[in-house]
């Protein structure tokens, strides 16, 4: 349904509700008149005609005021409300005065009724002014808060009073400002991260590049001629090139995830085989670190719908992270178990030093590292866990961490069935 048609239908419904609201007191008053006065048929017909006439005049006057946009012509809500009270008083005056006039009341009684009606209308408007102030105060408070928000003060909140539409509007306003405040906080964090990104990536790129340049210059200048030393230099250069390649691949994959362009090739695959292959690929490295790698897979876990290469990347990142933080003589356990919903949960648990409580909320953030010096010997570029999180969530799963200082860390991720 188009916006115009919705507006038209809404206006028609408003008019129908207004007519019904007028007919209700008409029928009630007529019934009361009949019960209390027990009038003859001729007098009852006369009263019906009078009330129909005044009712029709009231409907026409109110509807014309509504269609002409009278409520939108005042600069202040209180004036609109007072005008509404005045129109209501005028309609009351019209109905009572016309009926009294047509009922052949004496001139004295008619004048007295006129004075009393004017007095009652004035009293009603005075009481209406007081009530309108209670409403306009809330509107003014909301308006002032909106102005403060437009000037950048997102800490402002408006007290919620009552349970009416204004209270609902105030609640919505406060929720909106809270979301804006959270968004601004995240934006500030992103700005800080963006400012640090170039420095961080520059640091991670410069270190291996400097090493490679020094090696190449030494070899080119003939400063190193011993075959053993040359081989050692070349192996170091190869390692630095691998580090650079991994860093560039991480940056590319991170940019893909940020852009929502991470492509998954999901098929039914064995999670137990993937864990076994990953442990085998890390066996030599773990032996050099003096760390024992163990695998444990619950029966009935296979098969899981997943992108084997991507989930293998998740396992590799988690195991690499565990190896960096597990001392010699420690142990890393990779296990998988079936979830109640048909999926599986994979856990990578180490016996390292654990994660500081203040670092736990941020371990999956891009470029975040608890070790602030960013020494490559103690960690990577701070993208491994963020990439793992992105891959798991792209599969529709979740990843989390639990840790106690001195008792190691446990990383869990789930994959849907």
């Amino acid at each position: 349904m188009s916006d115009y048609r919705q507006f038209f239908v809404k206006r028609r419904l408003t008019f129908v509700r207004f007519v019904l609201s007028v007919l209700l007191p008409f029928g009630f008053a007529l019934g009361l008149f009949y019960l209390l006065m027990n009038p003859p048929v001729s007098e009852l017909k006369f009263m019906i005609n009078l009330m129909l006439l005044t009712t029709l005049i009231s409907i026409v006057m109110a509807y014309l005021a509504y269609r002409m946009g009278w409520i939108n012509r005042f600069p202040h809500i209180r004036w609109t409300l007072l005008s509404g009270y005045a129109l209501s008083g005028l309609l009351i005056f019209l109905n009572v005065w016309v009926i009294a006039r047509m009922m052949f009341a004496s001139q004295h009684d008619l004048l007295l009724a006129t004075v009393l009606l004017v007095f009652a209308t004035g009293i009603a408007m005075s009481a209406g002014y007081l009530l309108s102030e209670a409403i306009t105060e809330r509107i003014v408070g909301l308006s002032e808060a909106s102005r403060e928000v437009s000037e950048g003060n997102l800490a402002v909140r408006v007290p919620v009073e009552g349970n009416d539409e204004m209270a609902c509007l105030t609640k919505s306003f406060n929720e909106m400002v809270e979301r804006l405040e959270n968004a601004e906080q995240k934006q500030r964090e992103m700005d800080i991260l963006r400012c640090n990104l170039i420095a961080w990536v520059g640091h991670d790129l410069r270190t291996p590049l400097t090493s490679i340049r020094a090696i190449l210059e030494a070899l080119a200048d003939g400063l190193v001629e011993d075959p053993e030393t040359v081989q050692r230099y070349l192996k170091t250069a190869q390692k630095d090139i691998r580090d650079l390649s991994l860093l560039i691949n991480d940056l590319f994959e991170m940019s893909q995830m940020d852009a929502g362009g991470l492509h998954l090739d999901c098929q039914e695959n064995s999670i137990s085989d993937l864990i076994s292959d990953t442990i085998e690929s890390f066996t030599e490295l773990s032996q050099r670190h003096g760390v024992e790698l163990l695998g444990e897979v619950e029966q009935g876990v296979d098969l899981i719908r997943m992108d084997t290469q991507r989930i293998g990347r998740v396992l590799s990142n988690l195991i690499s992270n565990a190896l960096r933080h597990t001392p010699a003589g420690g142990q890393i356990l990779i296990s998988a178990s079936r979830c109640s919903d048909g999926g599986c949960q994979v856990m990578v648990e180490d016996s390292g030093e654990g994660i500081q409580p203040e670092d736990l909320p941020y371990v999956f953030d891009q470029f975040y590292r608890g070790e602030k010096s960013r020494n490559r010997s103690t960690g990577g570029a701070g993208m491994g866990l963020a990439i793992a999180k992105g891959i798991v969530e792209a599969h529709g799963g979740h990843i989390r961490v639990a840790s106690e200082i001195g008792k190691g860390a446990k990383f869990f991720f789930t994959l849907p069935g």
Side-chain angles (χ1 to χ4, degrees), residues 274-283 293-296 319 334:
L274 180 60
I275 290 175
S276 177
D277 293 342
T278 306
I279 290 176
E280 184 177 352
S281 67
F282 276 91
T283 298
L293 274 183
L294 299 174
E296 187 179 284
I319 294 173
I334 302 96

Side-chain angles (χ1 to χ4, degrees), residues 13-30:
L13 289 175
T14 300
F15 179 69
V16 170
R17 284 195 293 266
F18 166 67
V19 172
L20 291 176
S21 68
V22 172
L23 293 178
L24 183 63
F26 171 81
F28 179 76
L30 194 61

Side-chain angles (χ1 to χ4, degrees), residues 282-342:
F282 276 91
T283 298
E284 183 181 350
L285 181 60
S286 64
Q287 288 175 352
R288 289 205 305 266
H289 282 76
V291 176
E292 184 181 12
L293 274 183
L294 299 174
E296 187 179 284
V297 179
E298 185 181 276
Q299 288 186 352
V301 171
D302 293 327
L303 296 165
I304 296 296
R305 186 169 180 79
M306 61 181 174
D307 185 324
T308 306
Q309 182 179 357
R310 300 288 188 180
I311 297 302
R313 178 71 184 279
V314 173
L315 285 171
S316 297
N317 288 358
L318 294 179
I319 294 173
S320 296
N321 184 73
L323 280 172
R324 282 195 297 269
H325 297 91
T326 303
Q331 186 183 87
I332 297 174
L333 173 64
I334 302 96
S335 62
S337 58
R338 177 65 69 176
C339 297
S340 58
D341 61 358

Side-chain angles (χ1 to χ4, degrees), residues 349-355 402-410:
E349 179 183 5
D350 66 67
S351 58
E353 71 272 14
I355 303 172
S403 178
E404 290 185 38
I405 296 299
K407 295 185 178 180
K410 297 179 182 180

